[in-house]
């Protein structure tokens, strides 16, 4: 018996991997090869090394996975320590992915966790295509959409038929307070993140006129200090943005908000609330992370081994009143901008302005800052609007006020839209019709 | 709130930073309760240490692990807090050390004895704990532990991870919750029963004397109130109830609440946000103010009426009951909060103050009832403090109470709860009752055979038929006339598991059970009542009441 592969180490896993059962997945064949596959070959990517990520690494390593890769661009903050259990006080400021990977590799013999202290956007298709399963523990919707788009971009089709070997399953977990969700996405085969974007709660933004003229809530006062007073007074120097982790910054906002609240007789401005509003803090607790990450790890295990049927395809969790879950099959959006094979049309009147098209992209497809390019008859690219590079933004801004007709766009023109929510540009076909008004 | 939240950076302790994300859920007073609690874990199994992990991280006061076993190779394979280098060492000690590393604020202790030994040598041992958590116990040990804790009024949480199935059983004789944090709480607006301050405020507002700007910045509550006056004049005292009536009511809001000045010249008439908000609120804001059934049940409970124990919750509940019967005229103390609504600041704040002042008056009445109750019974005044009364009144419409049942009695029981048609349940392929019974059957198997079915590779086939015997005898014991019921597939699957404790199942159950412990300790949010089943083959869960 070696010190790394001791007797009984995989006792529990062997029961379900080396024994068949009437309830196992129909494709399942009990054998000792499955465990070997998990141990030696199965490559799993964990996206995020935070609340869910730490749990996922532990769960996967104890469920027989060794070739685990973890990517996270964040460093450790004190407020992570109430749930991100691989981090200690002395780790504050260090990269999450590295500390988490080290911890697992030290604690679990032969675990081979490879950390990437990087952004998901730093890697390309070659990198992502190398995994058997990707599991996400993210708090950012944009990052989820990007990963989703990346895995969809890896799909290959032959005569319109999806090649199943190009499908990399995506297991996605999310939490907020005592609520959570787990889903299994088989890109191109079932509902993807974009198919069900409406499941994400909308971010609450207070109307600027309320903040400026008719504050009623403590949040309105905090937003007043943040959005209107800070840029005007620059309390920590010109052009110094608010750092939500700097207590002096939060204090300044808190004091200003409190003053305003007192003027109006509004109660309830606290330092904690100020920080919560400024940083858009989502409450989090160890238990929910543990539950959601465990369910995600179970799905990775079932997908990789077929020893039991996978989740089809969405489970919500809430333990505020007893323990409640609901499991259902989220439906594909047949015209999904990310995963459907149907050409995407944009239907507009030729007298519509480009700004309205941009507005449509933001609302209908929930894009964040889309850039639009078209191809002319000679096949040359022409940028219509590009918000992210200031020199080009300046040059293309006048286009926003022009109508599609004035921009010389014809029926059938191709519009190529790029956005942070997707790694690849999305191609739309413009369907123009003549104005009804004239 | 027991302790105020920090006001400035100088006052923010490191603790407050570390726990920031959870303090936003259960507050500083919830955290204080957690930090004064001590829990006991029986057996440092994977499920057990996963539960403790989610209690140590948020900062439970202290924990004690009771475990007489040594670390085995199997343990080191599925338990993150049992290091393979410690194989052969006491499990209680090893797990305590590794769990303590998670949080320096938490005290950890261990006892290298089995639960049975402790129960026979020191039966009062468990009395000092806030909650006892049990994993990896045989049915016999569980039975003794359950009786002991039920008798001593210490809550017990039993957690099981068995193959792809998990379960949690919560045993608590009585648990009362003031802050249940419901997801969907109806606003407490009293439009149907306006208190004098509200009536006065509303009457002082004259829509007909307003210009468009003033009108469109009037809180929608005022519009509803005014529309209700018109409605009541025409249709009597009941608010609009059905769809048709509500449509008529909406038309009153839209067409009859006109402001007087310069109406014609105004171009944006008709798209006022407050009018839209008022119309949207017709469904929720006009519901009849009454004592919700969950609260009524508490006010009518024997504990509330007899009031034999000096218990803060029941004393205040009794005082609220007297308030409802006297000053409240049939309704609870006012909550005193308003939803946000389009309005100018001045009138919104004024309206908010009207509600706050009334809530404060109501709470004072309740406080006086409390003092009378204490005096009449010769109880010392300090047993209830005024802030508790205020908190209770604010949350009086969300009160919850759980009366649990004793696990030992369940195991002795000759029948399942009367409302469960077990034969019908067993017809369904994935009934949670089936999994409950399967878990009982494997325990019965263990009692009879000294090992779990399928534990040894060589016995899987023979154990299937033995387990079938256990299962049908269990059904007979429970008085189920279902001898012909065939659940071979499920019995086979249970033997496949062979008592395997898969780490991910343990982690799922661990997270769930930890939160139940936190609910019991903080008395916030509503605990499970009382048996939870997790089926990770179908990724579904269910709650059974036993």
């Amino acid at each position: 018996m070696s010190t790394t592969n001791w007797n009984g180490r995989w006792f529990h896993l062997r029961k379900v991997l080396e024994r068949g059962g009437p309830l196992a997945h129909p494709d399942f064949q009990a054998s000792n090869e499955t465990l070997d596959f998990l141990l030696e070959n199965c490559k799993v990517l964990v996206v995020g090394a935070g609340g869910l990520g730490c749990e996922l690494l532990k769960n996967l390593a104890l469920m027989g996975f060794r070739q685990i890769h973890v990517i996270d661009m964040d460093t450790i903050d004190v407020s992570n320590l109430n749930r991100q259990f691989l981090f200690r006080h002395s780790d504050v400021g260090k990269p999450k992915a590295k500390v988490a990977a080290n911890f697992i590799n030290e604690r679990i013999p032969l675990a081979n966790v490879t950390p990437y202290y990087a952004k998901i956007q730093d890697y390309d298709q070659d990198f992502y295509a190398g995994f058997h399963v990707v599991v996400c523990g993210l708090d950012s919707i944009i990052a989820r959409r990007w990963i989703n788009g990346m895995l969809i971009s890896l799909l290959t089709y032959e005569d319109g038929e999806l090649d199943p070997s190009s499908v990399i399953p995506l297991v996605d977990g999310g939490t907020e307070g005592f609520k959570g969700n787990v889903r299994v996405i088989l890109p191109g085969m079932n509902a993807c993140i974009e198919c069900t974007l409406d499941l994400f709660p909308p971010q609450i933004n207070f109307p600027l006129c309320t903040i400026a003229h008719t504050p009623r809530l403590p949040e309105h006062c905090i937003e007043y200090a943040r959005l209107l007073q800070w840029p005007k007074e620059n309390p920590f120097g010109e052009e110094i943005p608010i750092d939500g982790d700097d207590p002096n910054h939060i204090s300044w906002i808190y004091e200003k908000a409190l003053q305003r609240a007192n003027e109006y007789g509004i109660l309830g401005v606290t330092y904690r609330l100020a920080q919560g509003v400024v940083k858009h803090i989502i409450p989090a607790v160890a238990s929910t992370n543990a539950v959601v990450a465990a369910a995600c790890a179970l799905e990775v295990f079932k997908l990789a081994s077929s020893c039991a049927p996978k989740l089809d395809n969405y489970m919500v969790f809430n333990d505020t009143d007893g323990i409640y879950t609901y499991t259902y099959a989220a439906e594909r959006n047949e015209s999904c901008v990310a995963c459907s094979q149907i050409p995407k049309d944009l239907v507009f009147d030729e007298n519509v302005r480009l700004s309205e098209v941009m507005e449509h992209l933001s609302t209908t497809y929930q894009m964040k800052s889309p850039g639009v390019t078209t191809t002319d008859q000679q096949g040359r690219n022409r940028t219509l609007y590009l918000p992210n590079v200031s020199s080009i933004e300046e040059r293309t801004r006048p286009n926003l006020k022009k109508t599609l007709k004035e921009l010389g766009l014809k029926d059938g023109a191709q519009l190529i839209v790029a956005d942070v929510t997707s790694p690849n540009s999305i191609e739309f076909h413009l369907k123009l019709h003549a104005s009804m008004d004239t | 709130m027991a302790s105020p939240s920090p006001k400035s950076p100088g006052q923010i302790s490191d603790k407050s930073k570390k726990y920031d994300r959870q303090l936003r859920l259960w507050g500083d007073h919830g955290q204080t309760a957690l930090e004064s609690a001590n829990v006991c874990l029986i057996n440092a199994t994977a499920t057990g240490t996963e539960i403790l992990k989610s209690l140590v991280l948020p900062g439970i006061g202290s924990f004690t692990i009771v475990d007489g076993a040594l670390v085995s190779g199997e343990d080191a394979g599925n338990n993150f807090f049992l290091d393979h280098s410690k194989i052969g060492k006491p499990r209680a000690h090893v797990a305590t050390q590794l769990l303590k590393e998670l949080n320096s604020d938490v005290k950890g202790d261990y006892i290298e004895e089995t639960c049975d030994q402790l129960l026979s040598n020191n039966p009062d041992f468990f009395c000092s704990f806030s909650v006892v958590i049990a994993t990896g116990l045989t049915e016999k040990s569980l039975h003794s532990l359950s009786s002991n804790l039920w008798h001593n009024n210490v809550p017990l949480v039993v957690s099981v991870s068995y193959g792809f199935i998990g379960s949690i059983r919560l045993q608590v004789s009585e648990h009362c919750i003031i802050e249940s944090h419901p997801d969907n709480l109806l606003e407490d607006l009293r439009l149907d029963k306006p208190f004098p301050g509200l009536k006065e405020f509303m009457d002082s507002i004259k829509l007909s004397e307003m210009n468009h700007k003033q009108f469109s910045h009037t809180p929608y509550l005022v519009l509803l109130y005014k529309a209700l006056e018109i409605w009541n004049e025409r249709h009597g005292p009941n608010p609009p109830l059905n769809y048709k009536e509500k449509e008529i009511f909406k038309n009153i809001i839209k067409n009859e609440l006109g402001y007087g000045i310069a109406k014609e010249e105004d171009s944006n008439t008709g798209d006022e946000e407050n009018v839209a908000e008022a119309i949207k609120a017709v469904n929720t804001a006009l519901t009849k103010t009454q004592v919700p059934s969950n609260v009524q049940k508490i006010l009518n409970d024997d504990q509330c009426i007899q009031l034999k124990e000096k218990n803060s919750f029941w004393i205040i509940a009794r005082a609220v009951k007297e308030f409802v019967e006297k000053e409240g005229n049939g309704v609870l103390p006012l909550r005193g909060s308003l939803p946000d609504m389009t309005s100018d600041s001045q009138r919104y704040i004024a309206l908010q103050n009207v509600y706050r002042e009334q809530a404060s008056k109501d709470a004072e009445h309740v406080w006086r009832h409390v003092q009378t109750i204490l005096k009449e019974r010769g109880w010392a005044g300090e047993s209830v403090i005024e802030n508790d009364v205020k908190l209770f009144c604010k949350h009086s419409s969300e009160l919850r109470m759980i009366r649990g049942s004793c696990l030992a009695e369940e195991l002795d029981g000759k029948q399942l709860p009367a409302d469960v048609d077990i034969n019908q349940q067993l017809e369904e392929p994935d009934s949670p009752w089936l999994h409950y019974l399967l878990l009982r059957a494997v325990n019965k198997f263990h009692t009879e055979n000294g090992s779990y079915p399928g534990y040894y590779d060589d016995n899987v086939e023979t154990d299937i038929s033995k387990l079938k015997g256990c299962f049908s005898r269990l059904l007979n014991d429970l008085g189920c006339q279902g001898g012909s019921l065939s659940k071979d597939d499920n019995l086979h699957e249970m033997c496949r598991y062979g008592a395997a404790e898969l780490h991910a199942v343990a982690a799922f159950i661990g997270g769930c059970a930890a939160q139940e412990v936190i609910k019991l300790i903080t008395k916030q949010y509503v605990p499970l009542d009382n048996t939870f089943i997790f089926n990770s083959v179908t990724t579904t869960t269910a709650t059974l009441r036993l």
Side-chain angles (χ1 to χ4, degrees), chain B residues 33-42 48-49 51-57 59-66 96 99 106-111 125-134 154-157 513-514 516-522:
Chain B
L34 194 60
E35 288 174 16
S36 359
N38 54 338
V39 296
C40 175
L41 168 69
I42 295 168
T49 56
I51 298 171
L52 278 191
K53 169 169 130 288
S54 291
L55 293 173
V56 171
L57 286 167
I60 191 128
S62 65
F63 68 86
T64 302
I65 298 181
V66 171
T96 300
L99 281 160
V106 176
K107 292 194 205 70
D109 200 1
Y110 61 94
I111 292 173
F125 173 80
F126 294 106
C127 294
S128 62
F129 292 104
S130 322
V131 181
V132 173
I133 301 154
V154 177
L156 166 67
V157 177
E516 294 311 302
V517 173
I518 292 172
K519 289 177 191 172
L520 290 171
I521 289 167
T522 59

Side-chain angles (χ1 to χ4, degrees), chain B residues 5-13 16:
Chain B
S5 56
K7 294 282 186 289
S8 70
Q11 286 175 274
I12 308 160
S13 64
S16 168

Side-chain angles (χ1 to χ4, degrees), chain A residues 3 6 12 16 19 55 58 82 89 107 178 215-216 251 254 271 287 302 318-322 325 327, chain B residues 7 9 12 14 22 50 53 73 80 84 183 340-341 345 454 457 495-496 501 515 519 526 536 539 541:
Chain A
T3 53
W6 59 91
H12 298 276
V16 295
R19 291 174 178 180
E55 294 280 341
K58 170 200 63 135
N82 78 326
H89 231 290
R107 176 68 60 87
F178 300 117
R216 300 175 296 271
S251 266
Y254 161 67
Y271 183 86
S287 63
K302 293 193 282 182
N318 181 350
D319 64 357
T320 51
D321 188 348
T325 66
T327 303
Chain B
K7 294 282 186 289
I12 308 160
D14 196 47
Q22 69 201 37
E50 287 300 308
K53 169 169 130 288
F80 195 71
H84 76 290
D183 279 332
D340 187 32
M341 56 191 79
S345 305
D457 284 342
C495 291
R496 175 192 181 199
E501 190 177 11
Q515 195 54 42
K519 289 177 191 172
V526 185
S536 57
T539 320
T541 72

